[in-house]
Amino acid sequence: MDFKLSEREELLRKSAREFAESEITPKIDAMEETGDFALDLLKPMAKLGITGIMAPREYEGVGLGYMARTIVLEEMARICAAVSMGMQVHHMAIAALNDFGTEAQKKKYLPPLARGETMGCVAITEPSGGSDILGLQSTAALKGDTWILNGRKCFITNSHTSDFWLVLARTGEGPKGLTAFMVDKDAPGAKTGRVEHKFGLRGSNTGELVFDNCEIPRESIMGQEGGGLGVALKTVSESGRTGMAAVALGILQACYEEAAKFANERVLYGKPISFLQAISFAVAEIYTELDICRLLCYRASWMKDQNMRFDTESAMAKSYTCDAAANCAKKAIEIHGAYGIMQEYKVQRLLRDAMVTISAGGTGQIGKVVIGRAALAPFQKKG
Ligand SMILES: Cc1cc2nc3c(=O)[nH]c(=O)nc-3n(C[C@H](O)[C@H](O)[C@H](O)COP(=O)(O)OP(=O)(O)OC[C@H]3O[C@@H](n4cnc5c(N)ncnc54)[C@H](O)[C@@H]3O)c2cc1C
C-alpha cells in the first residue's frame, strides 16, 4: 500500500493551489454578491489543464484520471467551493461523454469543454424529486428523424453557463424507459428558466431548463435508447459523488486552516486560546476528520483509476465528507466566537457552502442507501 502522491500529482496540487490563491481569490466577493460564476476563470483554467483534465488527449484534453481531478477540485474548493462545484459538474459531463458519447458527440462537445469555451452540464433532477430518478416526468418522443422533448429540469448546475446539456428524459415505461440526450441550448423549443439564489456555493450557477416541444436530431441520443438510467447512475455515482466529495474536502481543509490560525492568534487571559484544551481538542477533531475524509476521497478516486468497482466507496466518500465539512465548519465558527458569524471571516462561508454539498449530487441519505445495501449484503439470508 502506498499513501504517497506521485511527483506529478504534487506538482499538480502546487499549480492548482497557486492558481486558486492568486486568480480565484480576487473573484470571490463578486461571486458571493451576484451569485454568478466568474466565467473569465475558464480560460486560465483551460491553460492549466483543469477544464480538460479528464478529457482524452485526442479531444484536446489532458487525459488524466480521477485522482488528479480530486486534487485540483480540492485545491480550488479550499479557496472557493463554488468555483470547484462548477468545475466538478463540468467534469461530470466530460466523464459521461467519455463513457457513453458517440464518436461524433465526443468530437463536437469535448474540445470546447476542454478549451474552457463553455461549461459541462448534467440535467437529471426535476421538480418531481431528485432522489426518485424513475419518477422523472420529462418525455422524448421520436417523430420522423427528430426527438420532441418536453419537460422541466431544476437545480441544474451550469444550466445558464453551458452551451449544451446532457438531459435525461422518459422514452418508454419503467427503468428501461429512460434515455439520455445531448441538447444544444439553441435547439428550437429549448430555453433556460429561473436562476436559483442559494445561501451557499453562491458563485456556482444553478437553474432551470425548460423544454417545450424542443426538437433535437435523432443522433442526439447518448448511449442506447432506454439506457438513460445506466448513464445517470454511472455518472452520478462515479464522477458526481467523487467530485462533490472533493469539493467538500477542500472546504474541510479550509475549516482546519481557519480554525488553527484563529486559535493561535486570538489571545485571551494573556495567551492564545489554543492553550485551552477545549479549543485544541476541537482543532484536533477537525484535523482528524480532514484526514479520514482525505483517505476516503483519495481511495475512491484511486479505485476508479485502477478500473475497480467503487460505487460503495464513492458513496462513503461523498456522504461522510459532506457531513464532516458541515460539522467542522460549525466547530470552526464556534472557535471564532462572535467573529465566526461576521461576513469578513471566511468560516461563515465555509458553513454555508458545506451545507449545500449535502444535497447536491445526490443527498447524504441516498448515499447511505447505497452504503447500507453493501454493508448488509454479506449477512442477508438467501432465498
Ligand atoms: C447546489 C445544487 C446543485 C445541483 N446540481 C444538480 C445538477 O447539476 N444536475 C442535477 O440533475 N441535479 C442537481 N441538483 C439536484 C440534486 O441532485 C437534488 O437536490 C437531489 O438529488 C435531491 O433531490 P430533491 O432536492 O428533489 O430532494 P428529494 O428527492 O425530494 O428528497 C427530499 C428528502 O428525502 C430524502 N429521501 C429521498 N429518498 C430517500 C430514500 N430512499 N431514503 C432516505 N431518504 C430519502 C432526501 O435525502 C431528502 O432529505 C443540485 C442540487 C443542489 C442543491
Side-chain angles (χ1 to χ4, degrees):
M1 196 173 283
D2 186 358
F3 289 101
K4 200 167 167 291
L5 294 181
S6 69
E7 208 173 301
R8 185 176 193 183
E9 286 159 345
E10 289 295 3
L11 266 174
L12 194 63
R13 179 189 294 291
K14 188 169 174 285
S15 57
R17 179 167 289 211
E18 283 169 6
F19 168 76
E21 287 176 350
S22 63
E23 305 289 321
I24 300 180
T25 303
K27 312 273 181 199
I28 296 173
D29 286 349
M31 284 192 285
E32 282 292 301
E33 184 74 23
T34 61
D36 295 334
F37 187 91
L39 285 168
D40 52 353
L41 287 171
L42 289 179
K43 281 286 154 68
M45 278 189 202
K47 232 175 174 177
L48 280 177
I50 293 173
T51 48
I53 198 159
M54 297 213 301
R57 283 170 180 271
E58 64 263 42
Y59 305 106
E60 302 184 34
V62 183
L64 292 178
Y66 275 54
M67 186 59 115
R69 174 206 186 208
T70 290
I71 292 168
V72 163
L73 290 176
E74 175 193 351
E75 286 302 328
M76 290 196 296
R78 171 180 168 266
I79 297 298
C80 177
V83 170
S84 188
M85 173 70 180
M87 230 353 77
Q88 96 83 1
V89 175
H90 175 89
H91 295 152
M92 279 176 77
I94 290 177
L97 280 159
N98 282 344
D99 290 336
F100 299 100
T102 61
E103 188 52 33
Q105 287 167 342
K106 288 179 185 174
K107 273 195 179 128
K108 177 176 175 185
Y109 297 115
L110 285 174
L113 289 170
R115 289 195 298 262
E117 287 167 7
T118 185
M119 296 185 82
C121 174
V122 178
I124 300 168
T125 304
E126 299 191 357
S128 55
S131 307
D132 181 13
I133 296 186
L134 288 178
L136 69 78
Q137 290 165 5
S138 292
T139 58
L142 196 57
K143 203 171 152 196
D145 266 349
T146 304
W147 285 98
I148 309 293
L149 189 56
N150 277 293
R152 180 178 288 267
K153 298 287 175 184
C154 63
F155 309 140
I156 305 305
T157 303
N158 303 337
S159 53
H160 291 60
T161 55
S162 185
D163 291 344
F164 38 78
W165 314 303
L166 192 171
V167 176
L168 203 66
R170 191 158 274 298
T171 49
E173 297 294 314
K176 293 200 170 143
L178 295 178
T179 302
F181 297 92
M182 288 305 295
V183 182
D184 293 349
K185 81 169 182 195
D186 54 8
K191 63 174 185 188
T192 50
R194 57 179 269 165
V195 177
E196 302 298 345
H197 295 286
K198 312 184 298 300
F199 73 55
L201 296 182
R202 283 195 44 75
S204 78
N205 164 245
T206 314
E208 277 187 332
L209 301 176
V210 183
F211 305 103
D212 183 10
N213 287 321
C214 167
E215 295 175 20
I216 50 172
R218 188 177 198 141
E219 59 275 15
S220 309
I221 283 192
M222 178 185 267
Q224 302 294 317
E225 183 177 343
L229 185 61
V231 175
L233 293 182
K234 186 171 168 66
T235 306
V236 169
S237 164
E238 296 192 351
S239 51
R241 293 211 173 99
T242 50
M244 279 318 305
V247 173
L249 182 62
I251 297 173
L252 198 37
Q253 171 72 30
C255 289
Y256 155 61
E257 291 178 19
E258 295 304 307
K261 263 190 285 175
F262 190 88
N264 281 322
E265 282 163 12
R266 174 72 165 154
V267 173
L268 290 182
Y269 320 109
K271 289 182 188 163
I273 56 170
S274 53
F275 91 94
L276 298 166
Q277 199 175 54
I279 300 288
S280 73
F281 277 17
V283 176
E285 283 159 15
I286 296 174
Y287 195 54
T288 307
E289 285 291 55
L290 174 61
D291 209 38
I292 293 169
C293 292
R294 187 163 283 127
L295 290 169
L296 283 173
C297 291
Y298 287 9
R299 179 184 62 174
S301 301
W302 177 84
M303 286 176 81
K304 170 65 186 172
D305 287 343
Q306 308 304 310
N307 291 319
M308 293 163 76
R309 186 173 169 177
F310 75 118
D311 46 347
T312 308
E313 288 77 9
S314 70
M316 286 198 274
K318 199 270 171 188
S319 297
Y320 194 90
T321 309
C322 296
D323 276 348
N327 294 336
C328 291
K330 180 171 169 279
K331 278 191 185 129
I333 287 176
E334 281 169 8
I335 291 172
H336 280 66
Y339 294 103
I341 56 159
M342 302 301 162
Q343 235 169 353
E344 306 89 282
Y345 284 78
K346 184 173 172 179
V347 276
Q348 49 79 28
R349 171 161 59 90
L350 298 177
L351 180 63
R352 291 189 282 108
D353 288 349
M355 285 305 299
V356 181
T357 66
I358 292 173
S359 58
T363 68
Q365 281 94 338
I366 294 298
K368 282 173 198 155
V369 170
V370 176
I371 301 162
R373 211 178 286 139
L376 291 165
F379 298 96
Q380 253 152 14
K381 288 208 174 86
K382 303 246 170 353

